[in-house]
Amino acid sequence: MKKVRIGTGACLVAGLAATLCAAGAVRANEGMWTYNHPPQELMQQLYGFTPTQAWLDHLRLSSVSPGASAAFVSPDGLILTNHHVARGMISRVSTPEHNYVRDGFTAASRDQEIPLPGNTVHVLVSIEDITARVQGAVRAGLDPAAARKAREAQIAAIEAECAKKTGLRGEVVALYGGARYDLYRYKEYTDIRLVCSPEQQAAYFGGDYDNFCYPRHDLDFSFLRAYENGKPARVSDYLKINPEGIKDGEMVIVSGNPGRTDRLRTLAYIDYQRETFPDRVARTRHQLELVRSYMARGAEQRRRGLTLDNGLSNTLKRSEGEFAALQQPELRVKKAAEEKALRDAVAADPKLQAQYGAAWDHSAAAYDWARAHEKDRLYRREMPGSRFFSTTVLSLVRYQAEVAKPDKDRLPSYHESNLPDVLRRLQSPAPVYKDLEEVMAADSFQRLLDGLGPEDPLVVAVLQGKTPAEAAKFYLDGTKLDDVAVRQALLKDKGKAIAKSDDPLIALARRVDPLLRETDKAWRDNVDALEDDAGTQIALARFAVYGDKAYPDATGTLRFGFGKVTGYPEATTLVPPFTTFLGLYDRALSFGDSGDFALAPAEREHRGDVDLNGVLNFACTADITAGNSGSPLGDREGRFVGVAFDGNVESHANRFVYSETRARCVCLDVRAILQALTKLYHAQSVADEMLAAAAQGGGAAPAAAAATATGAAATGATAK
Amino acid sequence: MKKVRIGTGACLVAGLAATLCAAGAVRANEGMWTYNHPPQELMQQLYGFTPTQAWLDHLRLSSVSPGASAAFVSPDGLILTNHHVARGMISRVSTPEHNYVRDGFTAASRDQEIPLPGNTVHVLVSIEDITARVQGAVRAGLDPAAARKAREAQIAAIEAECAKKTGLRGEVVALYGGARYDLYRYKEYTDIRLVCSPEQQAAYFGGDYDNFCYPRHDLDFSFLRAYENGKPARVSDYLKINPEGIKDGEMVIVSGNPGRTDRLRTLAYIDYQRETFPDRVARTRHQLELVRSYMARGAEQRRRGLTLDNGLSNTLKRSEGEFAALQQPELRVKKAAEEKALRDAVAADPKLQAQYGAAWDHSAAAYDWARAHEKDRLYRREMPGSRFFSTTVLSLVRYQAEVAKPDKDRLPSYHESNLPDVLRRLQSPAPVYKDLEEVMAADSFQRLLDGLGPEDPLVVAVLQGKTPAEAAKFYLDGTKLDDVAVRQALLKDKGKAIAKSDDPLIALARRVDPLLRETDKAWRDNVDALEDDAGTQIALARFAVYGDKAYPDATGTLRFGFGKVTGYPEATTLVPPFTTFLGLYDRALSFGDSGDFALAPAEREHRGDVDLNGVLNFACTADITAGNSGSPLGDREGRFVGVAFDGNVESHANRFVYSETRARCVCLDVRAILQALTKLYHAQSVADEMLAAAAQGGGAAPAAAAATATGAAATGATAK
């Protein structure tokens, strides 16, 4: 599983609010719950455990978001996440001489911890329900596109006000497709350093083969540290580790940032997804082949391409799994039955029918429009070229154009509240490999030419009479934007130099920007706005029919869930809840200790020191998805027992429907982390820091109101 | 996988002769080849290896048939097979005080080896093509039923003549559905003793869950010894072990007795199977539930029922797998295409069309008849009661009736040549557990009553006015046939006392025998005879169109095959070629070392002595099926490198179509056997005996004509 980078700023998720099953009941262990609406009755019923407000606040404040998920595990800002979450950061500070991704890294002392510039993490310090304020901004009678614009302006104002008043970054989160809006306030840490990470081969043992598989044998962890004012950040909330770990059948709580689920969407959306998935899958596969052929050129190319390879491989495997789930007839039958039950209930009540009855048809209309404009989605919704073109070059040009406007008129990503993120991204010191960029750009241009033809204005703007390969070479040879100092200079004075720059890449972005904006606006007005509107209507209908106990679809923001440690049936046998170090060495030797199944050097060298019986990974039923990578797993005392790093193959369907029969969250056990630190990676001090923190009085989880059903359930985190 | 007991005597297999694919080409590594028609060109082409006649003779003469498969591994008659092949034998000499199945057994010295009375093994000493003699017995113009009867009489005469002339047991084997008949001559060993066997828990680690699965971690071996004249048999052909084992990617040869495949059958047969499988599966499942509820009564019941439980579990899992294969639309599409290609080729040649064109319709007519008489198949083709009722009680009555007739007029199983087997079975000293028999009998009677109704003559004959439970109690309380001495007394003077016996079970058998014979004859005449006839026609058509290079369907007789050691893809990852002892301990601990995944006491106690890196099991592409359990695997020098004990889940489809993509033969590695003997089971002497034998000059595999394509390929074993 791979971290998902969720667009910062207003998280405009068009998920439709509805409970998952027709009866409105949530299945056991299901749910990505918001911290201000915890399912306390359900947890009490399943596990005899009712988390108090203090217990939940502590878990929330210990949860760290580095893009994906993580947790504080000591009062000195020590952060534990997955290796694959930190991999990109580590890669950007690696060089051919110091290949920390391949070789791992352990800081000999705190002053040896490696700064990871351009990276931030944040902590969710408070949540406020602002539904009335957001919806109040929309005058009655506005069409969906205009209503959306009004909401966006109001959201931008609320976020700006938050920053001004509290110094905290504000994010307005649209839940249930817009039936509820919450303001999330974040404390940000902008000085992040690398403390310890294992070899990639140990973290990613089994490679792409074993990704999304279980049983598993991966040491997928990294330790980072948040700094403030040049010193380790002092944090009052962190998770104490439980060095004894968790047992089969026991409850675990998971806290993290699930990126996206589509469980409450309309059937029209599901059908549209199923139709358009093959294009997405084919494109990812093609890009992966391209990167691999680049990497085959030599060792340095292999190093440069590895992060992209891992990312694309991961996306491809996930997409294939999700597509397979979409193709299962049972999924559609189930979704159709759920939708019919709700529509029938609405139709049976004239008042509900008058208010919400048309929503499903509006959603269908949105996707009919999308189908008719499918070619635009394929070719005109992103900056041609590589990821660097899209995320940095186009963004430079847009930054300059947008900051000149009043906040309410800007593109959502360029609202004042989001500018710190934008500026950090634009000034990232991460290396740009021009040779790799050129390969990706030439391919992207060729695709555009093949898809749209030579006369298309976008193609003309990109190629300017050249072949795709010539154009790619022209742009990459000529640009100086790979130099971060050049970008920093351009950004001065609200980027006014950008408008006059003759950098060929900036010139390209200036040419294509108006064309992309046009397409994008058409999609936002004709699909997103309708879908938002329908989503809100259907969510309200669902509240009216079933009540509002269900959790909203994932939005890339902090949630918690729960489940239990357990194996599952597969084919005709059983898959065990745990794996051990014995299994790691078995799997390596079974494949001749080679290729993706080779042991990492530390695993090979220090095998004699390791307790082979020790638990390595485990499986649990907690409801997670991409973005949860790095999520801490807590026991009922709130102690850290492991970190989520993947789902099994069966969990791909979780995007659309949760199942606990065979879908599992795959975790690295705390006991394995301790063995790895002390026996493989010369990082006794990191282990000691966590153990000492666990023994301290501070930072402990407040006792949960265990085994006592509470009528006066805590009401969730409130604004602070 | 479970040994399959093939009816001894004329092996009337109705398999249709045909090559597997429409082009007539055999796929790589596919085939259960007869020793007199080795695929030398194919082996040369695939592996640069052409076995000489001497090489093949040696492998054949080293192969031992104890019901399933086995091999001699020392000149002193030491036999290596699976634990689960020997389990029934071991169970029958076990008692509550000496539970050799549960606890394992190692003879401290040769005179401590435990006799296993009633068990025999045989070795195939020669093969003779007698097609002309068998077919010459059928006058032109006979209808299929009469032709079949004439063939059976001729076969009985040939088998009797063989015994008389050579002292060897003769078996006429019908190949390609009767397009070829070979006479197999066997040397028999009737004094078999138990040398060493591990604990059932080590042999069957993972239990029914892991059965038919891979990766696997089972020590599924047993050592027996053949005796002659009270002394270890001296054998000149045995397999020398290769203590280094086999490597990934290397060729292996397998020799054993595959029980049954249906690869050359008509589409009509396949369709009929698919329709009738659910009944078979449901019945096995029901019987298994019954045995388990009996076993739940206590420890002694558990011990008594274990062999039956293991057998039924195995049958159930295999049947479910085969049924799943039959339901795959691809299988039928493929079979239909193959059949159409052959029919089209026949139709294109007027001469072939006149000779063979009607055969497929005859086959279809056979199964139409079967469908119309399905109820008879379900209820009237076996003696009601338990396995003891069918195999012993009914057989006593039939023995007495049949031996009074001229040989040619007898039921096939009672021909003179088969009588030694019949008499051995009837006088088996294996314990009969009356309480378990009563449970099975009552259930069988109830099923008959429910299925046929109280007025049916068979039901009347069985129940005699009692309830099923009363009847079962009446028969079991009253019978003395569980005492082997009683059976021996009855069998004297060609069983004349049987006709007068008032034992209630014998009386029951006398009542039902005529009814069962009637049904059986109708099926033999209307299904088996037609299918035989059609099978022969189609085989000859196939020879005419594609040539005669293909192997015949399995017939429970000795075959050899080849393949290579290799893993395979599963879901989105890879399954390794080998497993190690590390994997055994991992899987046990992953499940908390409990239940079906508990370590055997010896594995737990002696773990420190075991080389955990040592190979345990491996997977290879050799083409096997039920009945191959215990088959030796040889390397290209003919040295023993492992023993087959199972197929993976994907191999269930092999009954109908071989695939090497994912179907695998699962083997226990010779290195694991050596570790088990020397480190777990105090059986250094057994290891030493094999190692010493391997070092000796005698018994060696003659060098194969490796890497030299030979035009003058050896012509196969000839009559001796």
Side-chain angles (χ1 to χ4, degrees):
Chain A
M1 188 171 299
K2 177 82 182 142
K3 64 179 173 171
V4 159
R5 217 167 259 290
I6 297 299
T8 51
C11 199
L12 296 161
V13 168
L16 301 186
T19 57
L20 185 58
C21 42
V26 164
R27 290 171 188 81
N29 298 317
E30 173 171 354
M32 298 165 172
W33 302 90
T34 54
Y35 270 90
N36 50 343
H37 291 278
Q40 279 159 318
E41 282 175 38
L42 181 65
M43 293 175 75
Q44 179 63 33
Q45 185 187 321
L46 287 173
Y47 294 105
F49 175 81
T50 298
T52 61
Q53 189 57 48
W55 194 99
L56 286 167
D57 289 348
H58 172 69
L59 182 59
R60 172 172 52 79
L61 293 167
S62 301
S63 300
V64 178
S65 303
S69 305
F72 285 128
V73 288
S74 95
D76 289 346
L78 187 66
I79 295 169
L80 176 47
T81 186
N82 291 149
H83 181 268
H84 81 268
V85 169
R87 187 170 52 208
M89 312 177 197
I90 302 170
S91 173
R92 288 191 284 274
V93 295
S94 291
T95 61
E97 295 72 38
H98 296 286
N99 190 335
Y100 302 126
V101 174
R102 185 190 60 205
D103 303 331
F105 171 79
T106 299
S109 59
R110 288 200 183 170
D111 59 3
Q112 301 293 306
E113 293 173 358
I114 301 175
L116 300 167
N119 293 292
T120 65
V121 304
H122 58 255
V123 173
L124 175 57
V125 295
S126 70
I127 303 176
E128 184 182 358
D129 185 338
I130 51 156
T131 309
R133 273 191 78 185
V134 174
Q135 289 178 343
V138 180
R139 276 180 294 117
L142 286 188
D143 70 29
R148 186 183 158 106
K149 200 162 170 53
R151 275 197 305 274
E152 283 175 3
Q154 178 74 330
I155 286 168
I158 292 169
E159 290 178 349
E161 176 193 294
C162 170
K164 204 166 171 180
K165 272 195 185 164
T166 64
L168 298 171
R169 208 189 93 208
E171 177 187 17
V172 174
V173 181
L175 299 162
Y176 304 103
R180 198 175 88 209
Y181 289 90
D182 282 351
L183 173 62
Y184 281 33
R185 297 192 188 85
Y186 299 115
K187 172 167 175 57
E188 289 197 289
Y189 295 90
T190 57
D191 182 355
I192 306 302
R193 304 190 189 177
L194 177 61
V195 176
C196 173
S197 71
E199 302 126 300
Q200 157 100 347
Q201 186 58 28
Y204 198 51
F205 175 81
D208 186 44
Y209 285 118
D210 277 3
N211 193 22
F212 292 113
C213 289
Y214 187 81
R216 196 69 166 277
H217 309 90
D218 289 2
L219 290 167
D220 192 354
F221 73 87
S222 282
F223 285 93
L224 312 175
R225 193 186 304 279
Y227 278 70
E228 284 188 304
N229 306 317
K231 288 182 181 163
R234 289 296 299 179
V235 298
S236 53
D237 286 279
Y238 61 88
L239 299 183
K240 296 184 170 195
I241 65 168
N242 174 1
E244 304 295 318
I246 194 85
K247 290 192 179 65
D248 186 18
E250 286 186 348
M251 184 191 74
V252 284
I253 308 273
V254 64
S255 178
N257 299 285
R260 173 192 191 131
T261 54
D262 290 324
R263 298 180 189 171
L264 308 181
R265 296 271 195 162
T266 58
L267 206 54
Y269 171 84
I270 296 287
D271 287 342
Y272 174 71
Q273 284 292 320
R274 191 175 49 247
E275 289 165 36
T276 53
F277 242 87
D279 281 336
R280 301 164 203 254
V281 172
R283 186 162 179 214
T284 306
R285 187 179 292 124
H286 175 74
Q287 288 179 313
L288 181 59
E289 283 163 7
L290 205 64
V291 176
R292 291 202 172 151
S293 69
Y294 164 81
M295 289 167 73
R297 292 182 193 170
E300 173 57 8
Q301 285 89 343
R302 183 168 160 70
R303 188 188 72 80
R304 293 180 176 189
L306 193 62
T307 300
L308 190 55
D309 177 331
N310 289 164
L312 287 169
S313 302
N314 184 75
T315 300
L316 178 60
K317 211 165 178 182
R318 181 160 48 77
S319 303
E320 288 173 336
E322 289 177 352
F323 184 46
L326 275 175
Q327 288 176 294
Q328 287 167 5
E330 304 79 25
L331 184 129
R332 195 180 186 285
V333 167
K334 184 177 167 64
K335 287 278 173 195
E338 286 170 10
E339 184 161 304
K340 184 173 186 307
L342 179 59
R343 293 188 74 164
D344 287 353
V346 167
D349 179 330
K351 195 169 156 234
L352 293 181
Q353 177 65 17
Q355 282 184 287
Y356 310 125
W360 289 273
D361 293 338
H362 292 168
S363 171
Y367 294 107
D368 284 344
W369 190 96
R371 273 186 197 87
H373 297 78
E374 192 55 24
K375 208 169 183 177
D376 288 344
R377 182 186 67 76
L378 283 172
Y379 298 108
R380 296 182 211 275
R381 298 202 67 192
E382 65 187 56
M383 169 88 176
S386 66
R387 192 179 155 86
F388 174 67
F389 283 32
S390 288
T391 58
T392 304
V393 183
L394 182 63
S395 189
L396 277 170
V397 170
R398 289 192 170 170
Y399 169 78
Q400 183 267 325
E402 295 297 310
V403 292
K405 304 176 186 171
D407 196 53
K408 68 178 178 54
D409 295 334
R410 296 180 191 170
L411 289 175
S413 328
Y414 295 86
H415 284 309
E416 209 59 39
S417 57
N418 297 320
L419 289 186
D421 264 359
V422 171
L423 287 169
R424 228 179 343 258
R425 194 176 67 232
L426 292 177
Q427 299 174 80
S428 166
V432 177
Y433 304 118
K434 280 190 164 188
D435 55 343
L436 176 56
E437 295 295 326
E438 189 180 323
V439 168
M440 303 308 283
D443 182 74
S444 164
F445 298 166
Q446 184 68 53
R447 176 176 170 275
L448 220 54
L449 176 62
D450 295 344
L452 297 175
E455 311 296 328
D456 187 276
L458 183 60
V459 176
V460 172
V462 169
L463 295 183
Q464 301 273 291
K466 300 184 178 64
T467 67
E470 287 165 1
K473 187 169 162 46
F474 169 78
Y475 293 125
L476 269 308
D477 280 357
T479 189
K480 295 194 165 55
L481 297 180
D482 55 313
D483 182 346
V484 65
V486 171
R487 277 176 271 141
Q488 281 167 335
L490 285 169
L491 284 166
K492 278 180 193 152
D493 292 331
K494 295 195 172 180
K496 67 178 181 188
I498 295 169
K500 294 171 235 150
S501 165
D502 59 358
D503 187 284
L505 268 184
I506 287 184
L508 169 65
R510 272 198 304 260
R511 285 195 301 276
V512 303
D513 186 28
L515 301 168
L516 301 181
R517 281 177 186 253
E518 189 184 340
T519 306
D520 216 46
K521 180 171 187 313
W523 277 73
R524 275 189 287 124
D525 290 351
N526 291 290
V527 181
D528 302 350
L530 261 72
E531 184 62 341
D532 272 8
D533 188 54
T536 304
Q537 302 300 316
I538 294 171
L540 294 172
R542 198 168 285 265
F543 291 164
V545 173
Y546 299 126
D548 61 354
K549 292 283 186 195
Y551 60 92
D553 257 323
T555 46
T557 48
L558 196 68
R559 303 289 180 91
F560 78 97
F562 48 88
K564 65 177 179 182
V565 176
T566 183
Y568 54 100
E570 187 161 279
T572 62
T573 188
L574 298 179
V575 176
F578 294 99
T579 65
T580 70
F581 278 88
L582 287 161
L584 165 68
Y585 290 100
D586 168 65
R587 191 156 172 82
L589 296 183
S590 296
F591 281 110
D593 192 5
S594 66
D596 285 313
F597 301 99
L599 294 166
E603 291 170 338
R604 200 177 292 120
E605 191 180 336
H606 302 296
R607 170 174 163 172
D609 302 325
V610 173
D611 172 10
L612 295 178
N613 289 359
V615 166
L616 181 45
N617 293 163
F618 65 86
C620 69
T621 59
D623 187 2
I624 58 141
T625 190
N628 271 112
S629 286
S631 292
L633 279 292
D635 61 17
R636 59 174 67 207
E637 279 77 44
R639 294 173 302 178
F640 175 89
V641 294
V643 55
F645 70 94
D646 207 355
N648 62 0
V649 168
E650 293 85 350
S651 73
H652 289 303
N654 277 5
R655 174 163 165 191
F656 307 105
V657 181
Y658 170 84
S659 159
E660 68 179 41
T661 313
R662 295 176 60 208
R664 289 292 177 276
C665 166
V666 178
C667 310
L668 170 61
D669 194 282
V670 64
R671 291 164 283 186
I673 296 173
L674 289 172
Q675 283 219 66
L677 290 174
T678 58
K679 294 170 179 169
L680 301 179
Y681 295 113
H682 310 292
Q684 183 74 47
S685 64
V686 178
D688 288 345
E689 183 176 342
M690 288 194 292
L691 290 165
Q696 277 184 22
T708 55
T710 165
T715 53
T718 49
K720 294 186 191 183
Chain B
M1 189 171 301
K2 177 83 181 145
K3 65 179 173 172
V4 158
R5 216 168 259 288
I6 297 298
T8 51
C11 197
L12 296 162
V13 168
L16 302 186
T19 58
L20 185 59
C21 41
V26 165
R27 290 171 187 84
N29 298 319
E30 171 172 355
M32 299 165 172
W33 301 91
T34 54
Y35 271 90
N36 50 342
H37 292 277
Q40 279 160 317
E41 281 175 38
L42 180 65
M43 293 175 75
Q44 179 63 34
Q45 185 188 321
L46 286 174
Y47 294 105
F49 176 82
T50 299
T52 61
Q53 189 57 47
W55 194 100
L56 286 166
D57 289 349
H58 172 68
L59 183 59
R60 173 172 52 78
L61 293 167
S62 301
S63 300
V64 177
S65 303
S69 304
F72 285 128
V73 288
S74 94
D76 288 344
L78 188 66
I79 296 169
L80 175 48
T81 187
N82 291 149
H83 181 270
H84 81 267
V85 168
R87 186 170 53 208
M89 310 177 197
I90 302 170
S91 174
R92 288 190 284 273
V93 295
S94 291
T95 61
E97 295 72 39
H98 297 287
N99 191 335
Y100 302 126
V101 174
R102 183 189 64 204
D103 303 332
F105 171 79
T106 298
S109 59
R110 287 200 182 169
D111 58 4
Q112 301 292 309
E113 293 172 0
I114 300 176
L116 299 166
N119 293 291
T120 65
V121 304
H122 59 254
V123 172
L124 175 56
V125 297
S126 71
I127 303 175
E128 183 181 358
D129 185 338
I130 51 156
T131 309
R133 271 191 78 184
V134 173
Q135 290 179 342
V138 180
R139 277 177 295 116
L142 286 188
D143 69 31
R148 185 182 157 107
K149 200 161 171 53
R151 274 197 305 274
E152 282 175 4
Q154 179 73 331
I155 285 168
I158 292 168
E159 290 178 348
E161 176 194 293
C162 170
K164 202 166 170 184
K165 271 194 185 165
T166 65
L168 297 171
R169 208 190 94 209
E171 177 186 16
V172 173
V173 181
L175 298 163
Y176 305 103
R180 199 177 87 208
Y181 289 91
D182 281 351
L183 173 62
Y184 280 33
R185 297 191 188 86
Y186 299 116
K187 173 167 175 57
E188 290 198 289
Y189 295 89
T190 57
D191 182 355
I192 306 301
R193 303 189 189 177
L194 177 61
V195 177
C196 173
S197 71
E199 302 127 302
Q200 157 100 347
Q201 186 57 29
Y204 198 50
F205 175 80
D208 186 44
Y209 285 118
D210 277 4
N211 193 22
F212 293 113
C213 288
Y214 186 80
R216 197 70 166 275
H217 310 90
D218 289 1
L219 290 168
D220 193 354
F221 72 88
S222 282
F223 285 93
L224 311 176
R225 193 186 303 280
Y227 277 71
E228 283 188 304
N229 306 316
K231 289 182 180 160
R234 289 296 298 179
V235 298
S236 53
D237 286 279
Y238 61 88
L239 299 184
K240 297 183 168 197
I241 65 168
N242 174 1
E244 304 296 317
I246 194 85
K247 291 191 179 66
D248 186 18
E250 286 187 345
M251 184 192 75
V252 283
I253 308 272
V254 63
S255 178
N257 299 284
R260 173 191 192 133
T261 55
D262 290 324
R263 297 179 189 170
L264 308 181
R265 296 270 196 162
T266 58
L267 206 56
Y269 171 84
I270 297 287
D271 288 342
Y272 173 70
Q273 283 293 320
R274 192 177 47 249
E275 289 165 37
T276 53
F277 243 87
D279 282 336
R280 300 165 203 255
V281 172
R283 188 164 177 211
T284 305
R285 187 178 294 123
H286 175 74
Q287 287 180 313
L288 182 58
E289 285 162 6
L290 203 65
V291 175
R292 290 201 173 153
S293 68
Y294 164 81
M295 289 168 72
R297 293 182 192 170
E300 172 58 7
Q301 285 89 343
R302 182 167 162 72
R303 188 188 73 80
R304 292 179 177 190
L306 192 62
T307 300
L308 189 55
D309 176 330
N310 289 165
L312 286 169
S313 302
N314 183 75
T315 300
L316 178 61
K317 211 165 178 181
R318 181 159 48 77
S319 302
E320 287 173 337
E322 288 176 353
F323 184 45
L326 275 175
Q327 287 175 296
Q328 287 167 4
E330 303 80 24
L331 183 129
R332 196 181 186 285
V333 166
K334 186 177 165 65
K335 286 278 174 194
E338 287 169 8
E339 185 160 305
K340 182 172 186 309
L342 179 57
R343 292 187 75 163
D344 286 352
V346 167
D349 179 331
K351 196 170 155 233
L352 292 182
Q353 177 65 17
Q355 280 183 290
Y356 309 125
W360 289 272
D361 294 338
H362 292 168
S363 172
Y367 294 107
D368 285 344
W369 190 95
R371 273 185 198 86
H373 297 77
E374 193 55 24
K375 207 169 183 178
D376 287 346
R377 182 186 68 75
L378 282 172
Y379 299 108
R380 297 182 210 275
R381 297 202 68 194
E382 63 186 57
M383 170 87 176
S386 66
R387 191 180 156 87
F388 174 68
F389 283 32
S390 287
T391 58
T392 303
V393 183
L394 182 64
S395 188
L396 277 169
V397 170
R398 288 191 170 170
Y399 169 79
Q400 183 265 326
E402 294 297 307
V403 292
K405 302 175 187 172
D407 196 56
K408 71 178 175 54
D409 295 334
R410 296 180 191 168
L411 290 175
S413 328
Y414 296 86
H415 285 310
E416 207 61 38
S417 57
N418 297 321
L419 290 186
D421 265 359
V422 172
L423 286 169
R424 227 176 347 255
R425 193 177 66 232
L426 292 177
Q427 298 174 79
S428 166
V432 177
Y433 304 117
K434 279 190 165 189
D435 56 344
L436 176 55
E437 296 293 325
E438 190 179 321
V439 167
M440 304 306 284
D443 183 73
S444 165
F445 298 166
Q446 184 68 51
R447 176 175 170 275
L448 221 55
L449 176 61
D450 294 344
L452 297 176
E455 310 297 328
D456 186 276
L458 183 60
V459 176
V460 171
V462 170
L463 294 184
Q464 300 271 293
K466 300 184 177 63
T467 68
E470 287 165 1
K473 186 168 165 47
F474 169 77
Y475 292 126
L476 269 309
D477 280 358
T479 189
K480 296 194 165 54
L481 295 181
D482 56 312
D483 182 347
V484 63
V486 170
R487 277 176 271 140
Q488 282 167 334
L490 285 168
L491 285 164
K492 277 181 193 152
D493 291 332
K494 296 192 170 181
K496 69 178 179 189
I498 296 169
K500 293 172 236 148
S501 164
D502 59 358
D503 187 283
L505 268 184
I506 289 184
L508 169 65
R510 272 199 304 259
R511 285 196 300 276
V512 302
D513 186 28
L515 300 168
L516 300 181
R517 279 177 186 252
E518 190 185 339
T519 306
D520 215 46
K521 182 172 186 315
W523 277 72
R524 276 187 287 124
D525 290 352
N526 291 290
V527 181
D528 302 351
L530 260 72
E531 184 62 342
D532 272 9
D533 188 53
T536 304
Q537 302 298 318
I538 294 171
L540 295 172
R542 199 167 282 267
F543 291 164
V545 172
Y546 298 128
D548 61 354
K549 292 284 185 193
Y551 60 93
D553 258 323
T555 46
T557 48
L558 196 69
R559 303 289 181 90
F560 78 98
F562 48 88
K564 65 177 178 181
V565 176
T566 183
Y568 54 98
E570 188 161 279
T572 62
T573 188
L574 299 180
V575 176
F578 293 99
T579 65
T580 71
F581 278 87
L582 287 161
L584 164 68
Y585 290 101
D586 167 65
R587 192 156 172 82
L589 297 183
S590 295
F591 281 109
D593 192 5
S594 65
D596 284 313
F597 301 98
L599 294 166
E603 291 170 339
R604 200 177 293 119
E605 189 179 337
H606 302 298
R607 169 173 164 173
D609 302 326
V610 173
D611 171 9
L612 295 179
N613 289 359
V615 166
L616 180 45
N617 294 162
F618 66 85
C620 69
T621 59
D623 187 2
I624 57 139
T625 190
N628 271 112
S629 286
S631 291
L633 278 293
D635 63 15
R636 60 174 66 210
E637 279 77 43
R639 294 172 304 179
F640 176 88
V641 293
V643 56
F645 70 94
D646 206 354
N648 62 359
V649 169
E650 294 84 350
S651 73
H652 289 303
N654 277 4
R655 174 162 164 191
F656 306 105
V657 181
Y658 170 84
S659 159
E660 67 179 41
T661 312
R662 296 176 60 207
R664 289 292 177 274
C665 166
V666 178
C667 310
L668 169 62
D669 195 281
V670 65
R671 291 164 284 186
I673 296 173
L674 289 172
Q675 283 220 66
L677 290 174
T678 58
K679 294 170 179 169
L680 301 179
Y681 295 112
H682 311 292
Q684 183 73 47
S685 65
V686 178
D688 288 346
E689 182 176 343
M690 288 194 292
L691 291 164
Q696 275 182 25
T708 54
T710 164
T715 51
T718 49
K720 292 184 188 181

